[in-house]
């Protein structure tokens, strides 16, 4: 069975983390991507990061993967400090970034090959292909796949290592609206089956409300946490329930997108819904 | 009955948008396509008969040649006759053989054109003698000298093949190794790139004077020169392919638990493969050039040597024969490399056709 008996997720601790990059126009100045961010994520929690571009969502995710090191501050997964990338923290980008030279099967088992455990765990490859519904595409190359299928492969590729934390950097951003909604259910299903701790970066408010336990609102320049909202709605959530829409309105207001004219238009759109 | 087997090919081709649409194979090919090749060979035969008869029998031959003036050039006649009979046979067989019909549709027009060109060549050279002899023999004479000299031509081709394979393999292996080092390791790039940029562009043939002095063995220096000619483009393209590996592929691999050797051998090198193949093709072209020059200058065997040897004796039939063999030899090797490329890069969306 793919569904793990116990929760696979680990809690995540972020303490006073800052990261800046050299400014492209002015070598002396630095852009502060994120500034003294602290956050606790519970084991098996699904938490989203929401905010306009430039608020440091993706930077924070890269720090958690260990691909980049923070200027200051500390990050922990369980009791382990994060110092380098590891198979314990999976990553899925907006672009599926499948290895085009490998088939669907080759991509999904890449993590096992990389860790040198393919021989013992070969059976899991088929399980994960079934889990994401791609068993009949095992020998197809990525350029034959649709966007949704490719992203499912990317999810399976990240999950096969049984990561304690799965980092999703706008994974559904490039999909059309309908595929996207279907994939949101798919990700939720995987999350419920595996109880992996998931961090989801998105700029789609509906997606954040539909999926997360908590929503971290971020503001740009420098990237800071504005507020953390807990989504109390029971799953499966209704995208058009009054509570859902109310929360959506609150978030728009907190992000300062509910200006005078925009408020009126937002109200009209709500009425149309 | 014939339409049914054609249908699956259509369906199989449909999902792959990258493949250019192939027009459906008709139930029967138009007469123009079917008869193009027999007509063209018949024309070549007629031209040949007419010109050969007009030509006076050469001195020193027995009276037999008066009755059969075409005996001297029987190779060309045999070729044309065989092609004519085969093409007529093919026209009959294609009714029941689908694959052959597909092949004929593609090949008949171009083959017919080739035989029309042969007849034109014969008319211009042997027939009207518009071009100065002995520099421009007709097709019959060229084919005849090839047939007469077949042992030597075979031997030369064999030697060229050995030299080419040795030099090319050496160049490819060393080129890929240095290319990966320069592309991946920063110190290797710092120290290696300037050498590559300064020494690489020198044509390998320009080293010949030095090679003649330094090396005691012509075979050895020719192999080294070919390897050098191949090494430069392969190194250049490999290193650029490696260093331009998409950063996100490497990031994903790291989060999957990849070691450095996985990153190099399972991510960077596959990602660089399309580039590496461009280098392999460029290197192959350079290796042909270097091979012919090296054989002309130093090595006393091979097609390049045969070419200049025949020219030295003013046997231009053999010169053209060597050119024909080279064309067949080099394009066959090119085709083999394209086949290898198609195998290795099946995963690529659109590939350049040969």
């Amino acid at each position: 069975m793919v569904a793990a008996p116990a929760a696979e997720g680990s809690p995540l601790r972020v303490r006073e983390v800052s990261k800046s990059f050299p400014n492209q126009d002015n070598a002396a100045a630095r852009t502060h991507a994120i500034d003294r961010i602290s956050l606790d994520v519970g084991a098996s929690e699904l938490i989203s990061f929401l905010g306009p571009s430039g608020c440091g969502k993706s930077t924070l995710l890269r720090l958690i993967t260990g691909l980049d090191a923070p200027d200051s501050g500390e990050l922990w997964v369980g009791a382990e400090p994060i110092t380098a990338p590891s198979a314990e923290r999976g990553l899925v980008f907006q672009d599926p970034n499948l290895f085009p030279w490998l088939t669907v099967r080759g991509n999904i088992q890449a993590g096992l090959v990389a860790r040198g455990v393919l021989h013992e765990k070969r059976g899991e490859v088929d399980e994960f292909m079934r889990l994401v519904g791609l068993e009949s595409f095992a020998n197809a190359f990525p350029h034959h796949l649709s966007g949704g299928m490719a992203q499912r492969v990317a999810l399976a590729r990240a999950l096969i290592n049984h990561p304690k934390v799965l980092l999703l950097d706008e994974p559904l951003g490039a999909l059309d609206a309908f595929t996207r909604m279907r994939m949101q259910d798919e990700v939720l299903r995987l999350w419920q089956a595996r109880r992996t701790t998931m961090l989801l970066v998105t700029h789609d408010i509906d997606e954040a409300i539909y999926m997360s336990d908590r929503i971290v609102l971020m503001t740009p320049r420098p990237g800071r946490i504005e507020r953390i909202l807990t989504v109390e709605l029971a799953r499966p959530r209704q995208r058009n329930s009054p509570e859902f829409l109310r929360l959506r309105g609150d978030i728009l207001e907190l992000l300062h997108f509910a200006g005078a004219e925009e408020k009126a238009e937002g109200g009209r759109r709500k009425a149309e819904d | 009955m014939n339409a049914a087997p054609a249908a699956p090919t259509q369906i199989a081709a449909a999902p792959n948008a990258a493949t250019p649409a192939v027009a459906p194979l008709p139930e029967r090919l138009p007469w123009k396509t079917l008869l193009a090749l027999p007509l063209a060979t018949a024309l070549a035969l007629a031209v040949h008969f007419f010109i050969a008869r007009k030509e006076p029998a050469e001195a020193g031959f027995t009276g037999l040649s008066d009755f059969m003036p075409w005996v001297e050039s029987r190779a060309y006649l045999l070729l044309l006759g065989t092609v004519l009979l085969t093409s007529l046979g093919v026209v009959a067989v294609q009714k029941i053989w689908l694959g052959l019909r597909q092949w004929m549709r593609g090949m008949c027009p171009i083959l017919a054109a080739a035989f029309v060109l042969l007849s034109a060549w014969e008319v211009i050279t042997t027939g009207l003698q518009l071009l100065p002899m002995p520099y421009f023999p007709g097709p019959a004479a060229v084919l005849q000298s090839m047939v007469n000299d077949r042992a030597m031509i075979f031997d030369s081709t064999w030697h060229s093949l050995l030299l080419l394979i040795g030099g090319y393999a050496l160049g490819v292996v060393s080129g890929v190794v240095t290319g990966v080092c320069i592309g991946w390791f920063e110190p290797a790039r710092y120290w290696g790139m300037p050498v590559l940029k300064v020494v690489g562009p020198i044509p390998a043939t320009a080293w010949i004077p030095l090679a003649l002095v330094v090396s005691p063995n012509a075979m050895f220096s020719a192999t080294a020169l070919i390897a050098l000619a191949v090494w430069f483009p392969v190194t250049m393209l490999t290193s650029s392919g490696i260093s331009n590996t998409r950063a996100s592929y490497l990031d994903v691999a790291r989060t999957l638990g990849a070691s450095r050797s996985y990153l190099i051998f399972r991510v960077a090198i596959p990602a660089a493969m399309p580039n590496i193949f461009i280098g392999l093709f460029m290197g192959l072209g350079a290796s042909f050039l270097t091979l012919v020059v090296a054989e002309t200058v130093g090595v006393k065997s091979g097609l390049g040597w045969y070419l200049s040897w025949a020219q030295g004796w003013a046997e231009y039939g053999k010169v053209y024969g060597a050119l024909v063999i080279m064309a067949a030899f080099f394009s066959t090797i090119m085709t083999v490399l394209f086949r290898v490329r198609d195998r290795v890069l099946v995963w690529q969306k659109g590939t350049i056709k040969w």
Side-chain angles (χ1 to χ4, degrees):
Chain A
M1 268 295 284
V2 172
E8 290 195 338
S10 282
L12 182 78
R13 221 154 19 110
V14 178
R15 282 288 169 276
E16 294 280 311
V17 163
S18 300
K19 178 75 179 174
S20 60
F21 295 103
N23 204 322
Q24 283 179 346
D25 308 319
N26 178 0
R30 293 181 74 84
T31 310
H32 292 273
I34 51 176
D35 188 32
R36 279 172 291 129
I37 282 185
S38 293
L39 178 72
D40 280 291
V41 182
S44 306
E45 192 179 5
L46 201 169
I47 190 165
S48 329
F49 296 81
L50 191 62
S53 9
C55 70
K57 299 169 294 195
S58 298
T59 307
L60 181 59
L61 232 58
R62 280 184 73 84
L63 294 179
I64 296 170
T65 58
L67 288 167
D68 289 337
D71 298 342
S72 63
E74 285 175 339
L75 301 105
W76 303 72
V77 170
E80 301 270 316
I82 295 172
T83 51
S86 144
E88 292 189 344
R89 294 182 301 280
L91 175 63
V92 177
F93 294 100
Q94 176 175 342
D95 182 327
N97 274 308
L98 300 179
F99 301 132
W101 53 88
L102 295 178
T103 58
V104 166
R105 173 184 290 277
N107 268 285
I108 290 177
Q109 69 189 20
L112 301 181
V113 176
R115 293 187 297 135
V117 295
L118 179 64
H119 197 67
E120 302 97 275
K121 306 207 167 175
R122 196 180 291 277
E124 287 196 15
V125 180
D126 293 300
E127 283 176 23
F128 275 89
M129 275 194 293
R130 226 172 300 133
L131 184 71
V132 294
L134 285 165
E135 56 272 57
S136 54
F137 289 88
N139 298 317
F141 282 101
H143 74 263
H144 287 299
L145 303 180
S146 68
M149 279 154 76
Q151 203 53 279
R152 294 216 291 272
V153 177
L155 281 166
R157 177 174 66 174
L159 286 170
I160 202 162
N161 278 335
H162 299 274
K164 292 181 171 151
V165 178
L166 183 63
L167 304 148
L168 304 160
D169 193 350
E170 295 186 28
L172 313 179
L175 305 177
D176 66 84
F178 300 105
T179 313
R180 183 174 190 144
M181 285 191 272
R182 221 174 316 118
M183 286 294 289
Q184 288 169 356
D185 288 327
E186 190 113 354
V187 173
L188 281 176
R189 187 171 62 79
L190 294 170
W191 173 65
Q192 277 158 349
R194 312 206 57 81
R195 308 303 297 170
T196 309
T197 308
M198 284 195 185
L199 281 73
L200 171 72
V201 161
T202 180
H203 48 221
D204 179 341
I205 297 175
D206 287 13
E207 184 169 283
I209 300 172
Y210 185 72
M211 300 187 66
S212 352
D213 294 327
R214 287 192 294 160
I215 300 172
V216 179
L217 292 184
M218 295 184 73
T219 49
R221 278 173 286 277
R224 286 207 177 105
I225 293 178
E226 164 91 12
R227 185 182 296 223
I228 301 177
L229 303 168
T230 307
V231 185
E232 308 274 12
L233 307 177
R235 296 172 205 273
R237 291 173 180 162
Q238 299 296 314
R239 291 176 203 270
N240 55 0
S241 68
E243 298 84 8
F244 195 104
L245 298 175
R246 198 176 316 121
L247 191 52
R248 187 172 185 265
D250 293 348
I251 292 172
L252 279 173
E253 206 143 341
L254 284 166
L255 291 171
H256 311 295
F257 278 105
E261 302 105 313
E262 281 160 351
K263 199 174 229 167
E265 204 181 321
R268 212 181 312 129
R269 213 180 288 141
K270 236 182 259 180
E272 281 166 11
D273 286 345
Chain B
M1 177 210 143
N2 282 328
T9 34
Q10 287 309 110
I11 292 161
N16 189 353
T19 347
V22 179
L25 195 63
E27 190 86 12
R28 54 173 56 204
L29 293 173
W31 287 109
K32 254 198 289 186
T33 314
L34 284 178
L35 291 183
L37 189 53
L39 284 178
T41 30
L43 170 74
L45 264 176
V47 165
H48 183 60
F49 267 122
F50 183 70
I51 288 169
R53 187 156 304 159
K54 225 178 61 174
E55 213 162 60
E58 271 183 45
F61 272 84
T62 63
L64 196 65
S65 58
D66 288 335
F67 298 109
M68 291 186 282
W70 47 269
V71 162
E72 301 158 50
S73 47
R74 66 191 180 285
Y76 187 57
L77 190 71
L78 239 101
L79 174 78
L80 292 180
T82 313
V83 172
L84 178 60
L85 288 178
T86 314
S87 65
L88 285 172
V90 158
V91 167
V93 173
Q94 57 86 25
K95 281 194 179 198
I96 49 168
W97 187 0
L98 187 86
L100 185 68
R101 197 183 319 155
Q102 191 124 32
W103 183 84
M104 277 183 72
R105 185 174 59 174
M107 291 306 287
C108 275
I110 192 76
L111 283 177
F115 281 96
V116 171
L117 262 178
L118 276 182
S119 358
W121 176 14
E122 184 153 41
V123 169
I124 292 169
T125 54
T126 324
L128 304 175
Q129 306 203 327
L130 293 176
L131 297 170
M133 289 302 269
Y135 308 111
F136 298 96
V142 170
L143 189 64
Q144 196 57 51
S145 53
M146 282 168 75
V147 169
N148 290 343
D149 228 13
R150 58 188 176 276
M152 197 130 160
I153 287 179
F154 181 81
D155 187 67
S156 300
T157 311
W158 176 245
H159 277 97
S160 286
L161 184 66
L162 289 182
L163 185 53
L164 189 71
I165 287 176
Y168 189 70
L170 188 63
V172 167
V173 170
S174 56
V176 169
V177 170
T178 46
V180 169
C181 289
I182 289 175
W184 188 266
F185 301 103
E186 199 44 53
R189 164 170 293 264
Y190 177 84
W191 297 106
M193 208 54 173
V195 178
L196 187 66
K197 279 185 175 163
V198 172
V199 178
I202 302 174
T205 47
W207 294 100
I208 284 178
L210 197 65
L212 290 176
V213 174
V214 170
S215 165
N217 183 334
M219 222 30 205
F220 176 82
S221 58
T223 308
L225 285 178
I226 294 169
L228 182 66
V230 177
W231 171 82
F232 171 60
V234 172
T235 304
M236 210 64 194
L237 272 293
T238 303
S239 74
S240 89
I242 296 279
S243 59
N244 287 318
T245 305
R246 238 159 85 173
S248 51
Y249 290 155
L250 297 169
D251 285 350
V252 165
R254 283 194 187 100
T255 63
L256 292 174
S259 59
R260 189 163 72 177
S261 75
Y262 186 95
L263 292 179
I264 295 175
F265 291 103
R266 304 256 188 169
V267 181
I269 290 181
M273 242 347 146
N275 256 25
I276 293 176
F277 266 96
I278 296 173
L280 294 183
F281 280 109
M282 290 169 64
L284 192 60
S287 74
F288 293 159
L289 175 76
T290 313
L291 174 82
V292 171
V293 175
E295 284 175 344
T296 312
V297 175
V299 186
K300 291 282 174 279
S301 64
L303 288 170
W305 166 81
Y306 179 80
L307 186 77
S308 62
W309 174 79
Q311 192 248 346
W313 290 100
E315 295 205 62
Y316 282 87
K318 289 181 183 176
V319 169
Y320 289 99
L323 289 175
V324 169
I325 296 295
M326 275 186 194
F329 179 63
F330 291 149
S331 70
T332 303
I333 290 173
M334 208 51 137
T335 304
V336 169
L337 187 58
F338 266 96
R339 288 280 156 80
V340 172
R341 195 273 320 256
D342 290 346
R343 267 288 175 82
V344 174
L345 297 185
V346 272
W347 51 271
Q348 258 202 323
K349 214 186 283 183
T351 46
I352 303 151
K353 293 275 190 310
W354 164 233

